[in-house]
Each structure stands twice: as C-alpha cells, then as structure tokens.
Amino acid sequence: MAMEFQEVITTEEQFEELQAQCGSPSIRAANKVIERLDANCVHFISKSSFLSLATYGADGRCDVSPRGDQPGFVTVLNEQYLFIPERKGNNRLDSAKNIITNPAVGLLFMIPGMGETLRINGKAMLCRDPKLLEQHAVNGNPPLFGVVVKAEECFIHCAKAFIRSGIWNPQTWLSREELPSAAEIMAAHMNIPAMGEEQVAKGLEVSYQTRLY
C-alpha cells in the first residue's frame, strides 16, 4: 500500500538545511574515525560476542544479519583485516550473496552490558583459507567459510541508544509470556499447511540444540 509523506528530504540542499538545524558535529565526533584496527579496536573486538553485519545486494536491497559466538570469535589479522567465521545458519546465505556482488559492508560490534559500540566499515570477501577455518573450529567443526573484512573506517559509537532503550537493564525486559513467538511468526509468514506453530517450534529447538556449529 503506497503512502505519501510531507516534508520528505530528497536533495542535497534539503539535507544541508537539516544539518544546519541539527548543528555541526562536535570536535570529538568529527575526529574519532580512524582507518585501521589499532590496539583499542583489537581489545574491543576481543571482548565482543555479538555483531551485526550490513550488506547491500545487486537488487538494491539492504540486509543486516546477526553474528554471535564466544567473546573474541572474530579474529583481527593485522591493522587492516579481520576474519568472521560463518557458523551454521539457515543456508540462505543472504550476506554472502550480497558480498559477491557488492563488497561494501558495515559492522557493529557489541559487548554485553556495555552501551558503547564499535563501528567498522570496509570491503569484504568470502574466504575458505584452510588455516583460518581450522583456527576457528569449535568442537572439531570448522566453518565452511568466513568473511574477511578490510577495515576502512573504525570508530566508537556513543551509548545514548542503549541508555534510552534500557536494553541491558533486566528490569526493562519483558516476561517470557509477553515476548513475541518466533515460531508463530515464522508459521504465519511461511503459510505452509503442514508447518504450523508447534512444528516450527520443535524444528527451531532441534536446530538450537544440534546445529550451532
């Protein structure tokens, strides 16, 4: 269903007006970007157990996909490159397909309990280097491939969004009964008569127990 909106910003002139209304970035914000993975980035990544990977496909659609494992699951190879092991998932390979056609990626690293995040933008490639894959094996199971990212922009993002959301504060968390049901959502979206909510829930549970690595 098409919608019309007022005051839509579509030109550089309109954006410049918006920037003037928002104000200029502080000297701190304007000068925080570096072009390499320094010791501070390496330390942050070594403590991170979760990241979001943003890619952009040939069809013009953006995609953001989560990646998570034990802290330090991403390896910094040197000041320019890092390696993200690709664990078992749903085999859609959305991010991988996008990287083949457009290597530009954005990473958002998070550390549980910490409001600040680390943002890294750069170029990615799919990699099946045997040594890297074996290095990232878990329970004797190496990943089939990984994503190598050449860092071009690295900077810390402030904690305001996490403070406003209270995401790390257990007192703000919903009870189990209040949470949306992933199985219900998937069953509705798939709309396959033989795959109701109960069947989907069982399939998810088996996958969580047997297909992490």
Side-chain angles (χ1 to χ4, degrees), residues 11-202:
T11 67
E12 291 186 10
E13 291 77 10
Q14 291 172 325
F15 176 79
E16 290 174 358
E17 181 180 349
L18 176 65
Q19 179 74 75
Q21 293 175 346
C22 291
S24 300
S26 67
I27 187 171
R28 181 179 65 244
N31 290 276
K32 66 180 180 178
V33 180
I34 63 174
E35 298 177 352
R36 61 187 177 87
L37 298 162
D38 70 352
N40 297 300
C41 293
V42 174
H43 186 217
F44 194 107
I45 292 170
S46 73
K47 304 299 181 182
S48 175
S49 57
F50 184 89
L51 68 89
S52 292
L53 168 64
T55 59
Y56 188 77
D59 57 3
R61 295 185 179 184
C62 294
D63 182 79
V64 179
S65 179
R67 297 289 187 276
D69 211 322
Q70 296 302 306
F73 74 100
V74 173
T75 298
V76 177
L77 304 175
N78 58 30
E79 287 191 336
Q80 214 68 60
Y81 291 92
L82 57 81
F83 179 81
I84 307 169
E86 184 73 10
R87 302 302 184 193
K88 289 183 178 180
N90 56 23
N91 293 329
R92 285 176 54 95
L93 302 183
D94 294 316
S95 299
K97 184 187 301 182
N98 287 348
I99 289 170
I100 290 296
T101 57
N102 186 339
V105 298
L107 308 177
L108 181 69
F109 285 91
M110 304 180 203
I111 299 175
M114 182 174 180
E116 291 79 13
T117 54
L118 177 65
R119 292 172 58 177
I120 297 177
N121 300 319
K123 298 292 192 302
M125 66 183 81
L126 306 184
C127 178
R128 302 191 72 178
D129 184 297
K131 291 183 179 179
L132 283 174
L133 298 182
E134 186 60 35
Q135 179 183 340
H136 292 83
V138 176
N139 299 331
N141 297 315
L144 288 177
F145 69 97
V147 177
V148 170
V149 177
K150 181 181 180 182
E152 297 177 340
E153 293 182 311
C154 310
F155 57 98
I156 285 290
H157 195 103
C158 77
K160 290 178 181 176
F162 286 77
I163 294 172
R164 287 190 289 256
S165 67
I167 192 170
W168 299 131
N169 180 6
Q171 294 181 349
T172 70
W173 297 352
L174 298 175
S175 67
R176 185 71 180 178
E177 292 72 24
E178 295 175 289
L179 293 175
S181 166
E184 179 182 359
I185 295 170
M186 290 181 66
H189 288 184
M190 292 187 302
N191 193 28
I192 300 174
M195 292 291 290
E197 180 180 351
E198 183 177 351
Q199 288 76 20
V200 172
K202 290 180 179 178

